[in-house]
Amino acid sequence: MRGGTIAAPAPASIEARSWGWRHGGRRAPAVSGLDLRVEPGERVLLLGASGAGKSTLLHGLAGVLGGDDEGESLGELTIDGRRPSAVRGRSGLVLQDPDSQIVMARVGDDVAFGLENLGVPADEIWARVGAALDAVGLALPLDHSTAALSGGQRQRLALAGVLAMRPGLILLDEPTANLDPDGVHEVRDAVARIADETGATLVVIEHRVSVWLPVVDRVVVLGQGGLIADGRPDDVLVEQAAPLRAAGVWLPSDVPWRADPSTARGSEPLMTAHRLDVARVPGVPVQRGIDLRVDSGCITAITGPNGAGKSTLALTMAGLLRPEGGRLEPGAPMAGARGTEPWRWRSRDLLTRIGTVFQHPEHQFLTGSVLAELEVGPRALKMSPAERRERIEPLLSSLRLEALTAANPFTLSGGEKRRLSVGTVLVTRPRMLVLDEPTFGQDANTWRELARLITDLRDEGVGIIAVTHDDTFIDAVADSRFGLALAGGAALTDAPVRGRSNGGGVSA
Amino acid sequence: MSIAAVRPDLPLASINPVAKVAATIPLSIGLILTLDPVSAGVAILCELILFTAVGLGPLLWSPRTLPVWIAAPLTGISMVLYGEPSGTTYWQFGLIEVSDGSIAIGLATMTRVIAIALPAVVLFLTIDPTDFADGLAQTLRLPARFVLGALAALRLVGSSIDDWRNLALARRARGVADLGVVRRSLGQAFALLVLAIRRGGTLATAMESRGFGAPVQRTWARTATFGAPEWCVIAVGCLIAVVSVSAAILTGSWNLVWS
Amino acid sequence: MHATISASGSATTNPAPRLRWRVVDIVVASVIGVAVGVIFWAWGVAWAPISAPIEALLPGLQAAPAAVWLIAGVLGGLIIRKPGAALYTEVVAAVVSALIGSQWGGLLTIEAGLVQGLGAELVFALFLYRYWRFPVALLAGAAAGLGMAINDLILWYAGAAPAFATIYTLSAVVGGALIAGGLSWLAMRGLARAGALGRFAAGRELQAV
Ligand SMILES: Nc1ncnc2c1ncn2[C@@H]1O[C@H](COP(=O)(O)OP(=O)(O)OP(=O)(O)O)[C@@H](O)[C@H]1O
Ligand SMILES: Nc1ncnc2c1ncn2[C@@H]1O[C@H](COP(=O)(O)OP(=O)(O)OP(=O)(O)O)[C@@H](O)[C@H]1O
Ligand SMILES: [Mg+2]
Ligand SMILES: [Mg+2]
């Protein structure tokens, strides 16, 4: 009966009247007392601290929060004056986790999925699929397998699936978080182009304000108990700077925080790669001939485009993947483990030597609560309860997870998951840290806390590799930068950052 | 494996999967009705010739059919030992009684398992799950919500080989992997199931947010066709069934199981 | 019409929303079905060496370990708690194991799944989809076992001696209750404790404890 209206491309309006949502299993509501009106065609940047309820609001707008048995809804939220779950398809939502939203096995089918659901005729579908894939810069054959995509490609695919639907309301939850800097601008421009063409209403969540400022015409900042700020970007960001800063908003005018030079005394090699070939799947090397050294008290940033093999290199340096060729040589501080090949070490030996934070936090969660998760490492090291508490409590507060100790790790917000996974590694104080996108999804405050924790460890003499697309982070903390190029090329650059490389993270 | 893979590059891959499944039905029913070596033997012969002729020969002897070749004799032997005895008894030990009758039953059971399982295994290897889902929903008109939900889940679990590898690395990094192979694998398998169910929840959200389950008549980007080639495949299936059953009746070995 | 979400009023026209399938029910039931389907397939590959020695000791007793093939239905029923969940999950698992390759053929594997799922489904229906305690799980497993025994004795062991048939049926029922019923119930509790079932009644029940 609603067939006609759902596929119509007219822009949608949003209205929230003291709306709120409490997730089942949580005592406090994620969002409460929200009053908001968005006119058709407006483009809104939704800001707020990590855990403020931004994703929850977006899910509410898309009508996918679920029914009474999954949480408690307060007040009213409507799209074009109707319940969001009744007009599903009016809006298109790109979730925060690009990994879990691939529906079909082939790229073309996946983009077509939404169109089929909307009842678009078959002959029109494929034209729209092609256009959407072009718009997001995903130049792959339609029958390419969706299982063989890099993180960045997945994000583009998710976006293409939503853009192809030409929804009246485009909802994007940190759509560029996993992309390389070129990709970020490409995707943003694609969204802007589609929004221009269709006139659709746009709500986008992103912690990095500057990326989206040229595209949006309104900024809304979500806080506890409703909105903290709302208005034209220029007005809001200038006039309300102080409260926004307190809420963790990245103001474009702010000078990013910078770490002081390392106070670590001397430095010695922890892990040296000689002509290293790395492969995710044995027999299929993604990078060859890498020379890289990790020194104590130094932070090395690994950068490069999506799919270059950064994560693969990091996991190999961490002693988790077996090198495909070349040699990995642990330094003197790593002594005591069985053998000289890190990938053969016992799991418990790794715990105090090399800590690894994976790109996808969910892979690393083992238990049913935040506290238990942080205790896994200390327990494996047979620490006393008092010792454990001594280590975990300060971490909980600097990671801003105190209120969530009993929560299930899987139910955390994107940024909270990332912080917890970093915490699980920091708690055992390994001599070397391998961090894959450690600052992804953080607001300015939690970002600064993380950067501080990491530089504190550096000052204690820990050697750190960080895979990252985050230039601010590199400027703030990295001693040297190691760039990977796409497809089999060797290292691009091995330039020290800010010219204060003490000993250098990279060997010639 | 064909699970959640992109369309296998094999002969018959473009035939509507519903037709391929349907083609195995007449023979299955025919062979279930009787317990004799002739009908099953003729069927096996036909299958071997036919699959080799269309270019699926290599699959017949691949590791994927190995379970069939192993299971069939074992099922047969158990009937030799415990089948209803008749005729001369050769050996008796407890409930075991090997006789002329039980040997005949065992032989017939073995050939029957091969005749029924072989075409299914080989044909199913040529089926792409997406095509199968299209066939189920469009040709058989099963509810699209369930068919597509199952298809999405199949892809999710099919790609968990990757998750399995990542979980192994992640658990080692967290210091919990110093266990025996069995305990480690069990723990990891459970973690994989937890992850898959969690992912399933998110995937459901993603599907709903793209209009899945909305009250709109769904269209299909890929149309499942059911034409002459499909009818041909089914006809061949029927033909094999008729030939095998006739052979059994003509040679007098037809043996209705419940008589 | 000015429909809204409100705390009290998800006033849908459906009289029994508790029993209606949500998309998440479908997807997660399928995930369980597919995952267990892979286990089914693996059990099928390992089946010959497992069953042969048992058969040598006491024929018919192999129906007890065969109860591993009944897990999907009971587990799916216990987690999803919707009409048809046990049947659907068991059938999906059977289809998947057939798709990967099964020595019992495609059609007959799926047919066996139907019969076995029906066994568990009937028990859950008998309790009006309201009771999900341990004894109900055991009963569902036993019923699935009975379904399996009847099906196998007609299709695969036609011509078996009565002693064999009796032992086969008994071990199928006992194995079904213990393996399919008991293990599924434990798995359901374990999954709930690990936080996998946050969106299901099965997961929230545990939090309340
Ligand atoms: N499914 C869930 N079950 C229980 N609690 C949840 C669930 N999802 C989110 N929460 C909680 O609700 C709060 C808001 O989460 P939400 O994901 O909306 O935050 P966010 O603003 O998007 O944060 P981030 O910037 O880190 O992504 C958090 O405290 C989170 O732990
Ligand atoms: N599980 C996998 N199986 C096969 N190939 C893979 C797998 N994971 C990654 N690859 C491939 O290996 C290459 C390197 O992947 P990797 O994840 O290391 O890239 P990355 O530089 O970390 O990218 P991103 O910035 O998107 O995270 C890519 O081309 C990718 O397609
Ligand atoms: Mg979020
Ligand atoms: Mg990566």
Side-chain angles (χ1 to χ4, degrees), chain A residues 418-430:
Chain A
R418 171 44 65 192
R419 297 205 292 287
L420 175 60
S421 64
V422 173
T424 58
V425 167
L426 299 189
V427 75
T428 60
R429 301 203 182 140

PDB file of all heavy atoms in Angstrom, chain A residues 418-430:
ATOM      1  N   ARG A 418      36.923   0.388  20.692  1.00  0.00           N
ATOM      2  CA  ARG A 418      38.313   0.636  20.331  1.00  0.00           C
ATOM      3  C   ARG A 418      39.137   0.914  21.588  1.00  0.00           C
ATOM      4  O   ARG A 418      40.212   0.373  21.777  1.00  0.00           O
ATOM      5  CB  ARG A 418      38.363   1.815  19.356  1.00  0.00           C
ATOM      6  CG  ARG A 418      39.721   2.364  19.020  1.00  0.00           C
ATOM      7  CD  ARG A 418      40.752   1.309  18.736  1.00  0.00           C
ATOM      8  NE  ARG A 418      40.453   0.534  17.557  1.00  0.00           N
ATOM      9  CZ  ARG A 418      41.080  -0.592  17.212  1.00  0.00           C
ATOM     10  NH1 ARG A 418      42.034  -1.076  17.953  1.00  0.00           N
ATOM     11  NH2 ARG A 418      40.748  -1.251  16.151  1.00  0.00           N
ATOM     12  N   ARG A 419      38.616   1.733  22.495  1.00  0.00           N
ATOM     13  CA  ARG A 419      39.389   2.065  23.697  1.00  0.00           C
ATOM     14  C   ARG A 419      39.589   0.821  24.556  1.00  0.00           C
ATOM     15  O   ARG A 419      40.664   0.610  25.113  1.00  0.00           O
ATOM     16  CB  ARG A 419      38.668   3.163  24.504  1.00  0.00           C
ATOM     17  CG  ARG A 419      38.545   4.464  23.750  1.00  0.00           C
ATOM     18  CD  ARG A 419      38.408   5.648  24.679  1.00  0.00           C
ATOM     19  NE  ARG A 419      37.148   5.688  25.430  1.00  0.00           N
ATOM     20  CZ  ARG A 419      35.964   5.998  24.895  1.00  0.00           C
ATOM     21  NH1 ARG A 419      35.877   6.269  23.612  1.00  0.00           N
ATOM     22  NH2 ARG A 419      34.883   6.041  25.637  1.00  0.00           N
ATOM     23  N   LEU A 420      38.544   0.004  24.676  1.00  0.00           N
ATOM     24  CA  LEU A 420      38.693  -1.204  25.483  1.00  0.00           C
ATOM     25  C   LEU A 420      39.770  -2.113  24.898  1.00  0.00           C
ATOM     26  O   LEU A 420      40.602  -2.677  25.620  1.00  0.00           O
ATOM     27  CB  LEU A 420      37.356  -1.954  25.568  1.00  0.00           C
ATOM     28  CG  LEU A 420      37.408  -3.294  26.287  1.00  0.00           C
ATOM     29  CD1 LEU A 420      37.870  -3.111  27.730  1.00  0.00           C
ATOM     30  CD2 LEU A 420      36.061  -4.006  26.262  1.00  0.00           C
ATOM     31  N   SER A 421      39.774  -2.263  23.572  1.00  0.00           N
ATOM     32  CA  SER A 421      40.751  -3.170  22.984  1.00  0.00           C
ATOM     33  C   SER A 421      42.166  -2.638  23.180  1.00  0.00           C
ATOM     34  O   SER A 421      43.101  -3.408  23.383  1.00  0.00           O
ATOM     35  CB  SER A 421      40.437  -3.416  21.504  1.00  0.00           C
ATOM     36  OG  SER A 421      40.553  -2.224  20.787  1.00  0.00           O
ATOM     37  N   VAL A 422      42.329  -1.319  23.167  1.00  0.00           N
ATOM     38  CA  VAL A 422      43.651  -0.758  23.467  1.00  0.00           C
ATOM     39  C   VAL A 422      43.990  -1.033  24.936  1.00  0.00           C
ATOM     40  O   VAL A 422      45.111  -1.427  25.273  1.00  0.00           O
ATOM     41  CB  VAL A 422      43.689   0.756  23.149  1.00  0.00           C
ATOM     42  CG1 VAL A 422      45.000   1.363  23.622  1.00  0.00           C
ATOM     43  CG2 VAL A 422      43.519   0.992  21.664  1.00  0.00           C
ATOM     44  N   GLY A 423      42.982  -0.873  25.798  1.00  0.00           N
ATOM     45  CA  GLY A 423      43.211  -1.093  27.230  1.00  0.00           C
ATOM     46  C   GLY A 423      43.655  -2.515  27.543  1.00  0.00           C
ATOM     47  O   GLY A 423      44.558  -2.736  28.358  1.00  0.00           O
ATOM     48  N   THR A 424      43.047  -3.498  26.887  1.00  0.00           N
ATOM     49  CA  THR A 424      43.402  -4.890  27.176  1.00  0.00           C
ATOM     50  C   THR A 424      44.873  -5.158  26.894  1.00  0.00           C
ATOM     51  O   THR A 424      45.467  -6.049  27.486  1.00  0.00           O
ATOM     52  CB  THR A 424      42.588  -5.873  26.308  1.00  0.00           C
ATOM     53  OG1 THR A 424      42.834  -5.578  24.951  1.00  0.00           O
ATOM     54  CG2 THR A 424      41.115  -5.786  26.604  1.00  0.00           C
ATOM     55  N   VAL A 425      45.432  -4.385  25.987  1.00  0.00           N
ATOM     56  CA  VAL A 425      46.840  -4.588  25.649  1.00  0.00           C
ATOM     57  C   VAL A 425      47.745  -3.808  26.595  1.00  0.00           C
ATOM     58  O   VAL A 425      48.757  -4.308  27.076  1.00  0.00           O
ATOM     59  CB  VAL A 425      47.079  -4.181  24.179  1.00  0.00           C
ATOM     60  CG1 VAL A 425      48.554  -4.066  23.898  1.00  0.00           C
ATOM     61  CG2 VAL A 425      46.423  -5.195  23.265  1.00  0.00           C
ATOM     62  N   LEU A 426      47.334  -2.569  26.904  1.00  0.00           N
ATOM     63  CA  LEU A 426      48.172  -1.740  27.767  1.00  0.00           C
ATOM     64  C   LEU A 426      48.309  -2.359  29.157  1.00  0.00           C
ATOM     65  O   LEU A 426      49.327  -2.189  29.825  1.00  0.00           O
ATOM     66  CB  LEU A 426      47.574  -0.334  27.892  1.00  0.00           C
ATOM     67  CG  LEU A 426      47.444   0.457  26.598  1.00  0.00           C
ATOM     68  CD1 LEU A 426      47.058   1.885  26.898  1.00  0.00           C
ATOM     69  CD2 LEU A 426      48.725   0.418  25.787  1.00  0.00           C
ATOM     70  N   VAL A 427      47.298  -3.098  29.593  1.00  0.00           N
ATOM     71  CA  VAL A 427      47.263  -3.548  30.974  1.00  0.00           C
ATOM     72  C   VAL A 427      48.388  -4.537  31.308  1.00  0.00           C
ATOM     73  O   VAL A 427      48.822  -4.638  32.448  1.00  0.00           O
ATOM     74  CB  VAL A 427      45.858  -4.130  31.304  1.00  0.00           C
ATOM     75  CG1 VAL A 427      45.690  -5.483  30.682  1.00  0.00           C
ATOM     76  CG2 VAL A 427      45.627  -4.192  32.791  1.00  0.00           C
ATOM     77  N   THR A 428      48.896  -5.244  30.310  1.00  0.00           N
ATOM     78  CA  THR A 428      49.985  -6.184  30.607  1.00  0.00           C
ATOM     79  C   THR A 428      51.363  -5.564  30.402  1.00  0.00           C
ATOM     80  O   THR A 428      52.369  -6.225  30.593  1.00  0.00           O
ATOM     81  CB  THR A 428      49.891  -7.448  29.715  1.00  0.00           C
ATOM     82  OG1 THR A 428      49.970  -7.053  28.351  1.00  0.00           O
ATOM     83  CG2 THR A 428      48.608  -8.198  29.945  1.00  0.00           C
ATOM     84  N   ARG A 429      51.403  -4.312  30.003  1.00  0.00           N
ATOM     85  CA  ARG A 429      52.662  -3.566  29.827  1.00  0.00           C
ATOM     86  C   ARG A 429      53.720  -4.327  29.049  1.00  0.00           C
ATOM     87  O   ARG A 429      54.797  -4.634  29.567  1.00  0.00           O
ATOM     88  CB  ARG A 429      53.235  -3.197  31.197  1.00  0.00           C
ATOM     89  CG  ARG A 429      52.250  -2.360  31.975  1.00  0.00           C
ATOM     90  CD  ARG A 429      52.916  -1.534  33.019  1.00  0.00           C
ATOM     91  NE  ARG A 429      51.909  -0.801  33.743  1.00  0.00           N
ATOM     92  CZ  ARG A 429      51.932  -0.603  35.064  1.00  0.00           C
ATOM     93  NH1 ARG A 429      52.931  -1.090  35.780  1.00  0.00           N
ATOM     94  NH2 ARG A 429      50.981   0.089  35.629  1.00  0.00           N
ATOM     95  N   PRO A 430      53.434  -4.653  27.813  1.00  0.00           N
ATOM     96  CA  PRO A 430      54.440  -5.340  26.994  1.00  0.00           C
ATOM     97  C   PRO A 430      55.562  -4.386  26.595  1.00  0.00           C
ATOM     98  O   PRO A 430      55.416  -3.168  26.718  1.00  0.00           O
ATOM     99  CB  PRO A 430      53.650  -5.789  25.768  1.00  0.00           C
ATOM    100  CG  PRO A 430      52.495  -4.883  25.704  1.00  0.00           C
ATOM    101  CD  PRO A 430      52.195  -4.391  27.078  1.00  0.00           C
TER     102      PRO A 430
END
